[in-house]
Amino acid sequence: EAGVAQSPRYKIIEKRQSVAFWCNPISGHATLYWYQQILGQGPKLLIQFQNNGVVDDSQLPKDRFSAERLKGVDSTLKIQPAKLEDSAVYLCASSSQSGFQETQYFGPGTRLLVL
Amino acid sequence: GQQLNQSPQSMFIQEGEDVSMNCTSSSIFNTWLWYKQDPGEGPVLLIALYKAGELTSNGRLTAQFGITRKDSFLNISASIPSDVGIYFCAGRFSGGGADGLTFGKGTHLIIQP
């Protein structure tokens, strides 16, 4: 079974530029998450989708971050404009459905460096 | 957002030694999870705990869900070189469909042969 796919793996941009990340979850997984992992810290949830609807975006900085999952499969996370403090690894995870016994499987992440 | 208090931050041990790390929270969770992350990869689930007081093993790994639902520990017995990496605890409180994980800052395990 293929895992969670993410691209690009690395991205370097200058502050105030825009950037987008793509995630393809495990086939059939209805729930998709985006996490931000700053160096030296654990991942922090940004947004959770159930199919194509947003379940939780309470920690998403909505003035510059946006995410969509239009057809309930792939998802994109966008930052516009980027700040220096956005340098981090952006992890995508998926689970078959939401629920406290459902396992979240993580992708390899996209490493973003903002100069 | 909340992060869990995970300790120790790093451990330098000899191969063959046992390892113990723990995690505490000011909030209760109904799931505790332990993940391992290797460089350049995403976290991989090691053990999941679903009930207060539960003690679960996975090979050389043992973890427990604290009775207060605010803490958990992970033990690794007879460490080997491939145990090197960063270990994260994570808590989940599912409600209204929202079940994102809250992570600790990680324990960096370094093994000297």
Side-chain angles (χ1 to χ4, degrees):
Chain A
E1 178 182 78
V4 176
Q6 292 187 246
S7 68
R9 291 296 308 273
Y10 305 91
K11 191 74 177 179
I12 301 174
I13 62 172
E14 294 189 349
K15 61 183 179 184
R16 291 188 289 274
Q17 285 187 326
S18 301
V19 65
F21 314 127
W22 173 83
C23 173
N24 181 230
I26 293 172
S27 178
H29 278 194
T31 311
L32 186 147
Y33 312 80
W34 284 100
Y35 289 84
Q36 179 193 55
Q37 186 176 21
I38 292 172
L39 186 64
Q41 298 194 16
K44 184 185 91 170
L45 178 71
L46 293 176
I47 190 167
Q48 176 187 347
F49 290 95
Q50 180 71 20
N51 296 308
N52 61 353
V54 175
V55 175
D56 182 5
D57 63 356
S58 57
Q59 298 189 86
L60 186 73
K62 299 181 187 64
D63 57 333
R64 298 183 300 106
F65 285 66
S66 64
E68 59 184 16
R69 195 184 184 202
L70 292 176
K71 296 182 180 178
V73 181
D74 294 3
S75 177
T76 56
L77 176 69
K78 297 178 182 176
I79 308 175
Q80 181 179 10
K83 293 185 175 181
L84 297 177
E85 58 262 34
D86 298 331
S87 294
V89 176
Y90 291 85
L91 294 162
C92 179
S94 71
S95 64
S96 59
Q97 57 185 334
S98 63
F100 81 104
Q101 291 205 359
E102 293 297 326
T103 298
Q104 293 183 24
Y105 297 89
F106 285 82
T110 295
R111 278 144 190 81
L112 173 67
L113 178 61
V114 182
L115 301 175
Chain B
Q2 177 192 9
Q3 283 215 328
L4 306 178
N5 298 312
Q6 185 173 348
S7 64
Q9 280 190 326
S10 58
M11 301 183 73
F12 294 79
I13 64 167
Q14 300 283 336
E15 184 178 350
E17 287 186 17
D18 296 344
V19 170
S20 184
M21 58 191 79
N22 66 77
C23 213
T24 60
S25 169
S26 56
S27 305
I28 62 171
F29 292 107
N30 54 19
T31 306
W32 277 96
L33 306 155
W34 286 91
Y35 282 84
K36 179 173 183 270
Q37 187 173 28
D38 292 328
E41 301 295 331
V44 174
L45 182 66
L46 299 174
I47 289 184
L49 302 153
Y50 303 114
K51 218 157 71 164
E54 179 181 358
L55 183 72
T56 297
S57 292
N58 178 9
R60 294 178 295 106
L61 277 59
T62 302
Q64 184 158 31
F65 191 142
I67 293 176
T68 64
R69 296 171 64 189
K70 293 182 178 182
D71 63 299
S72 177
F73 72 74
L74 174 71
N75 289 339
I76 305 173
S77 63
S79 57
I80 59 177
S82 61
D83 291 334
V84 166
I86 304 177
Y87 292 79
F88 290 98
C89 61
R92 176 165 60 194
F93 188 86
S94 301
D99 63 350
L101 303 179
T102 300
F103 281 84
K105 290 189 174 183
T107 294
H108 196 167
L109 181 61
I110 298 162
I111 299 176
Q112 301 161 335

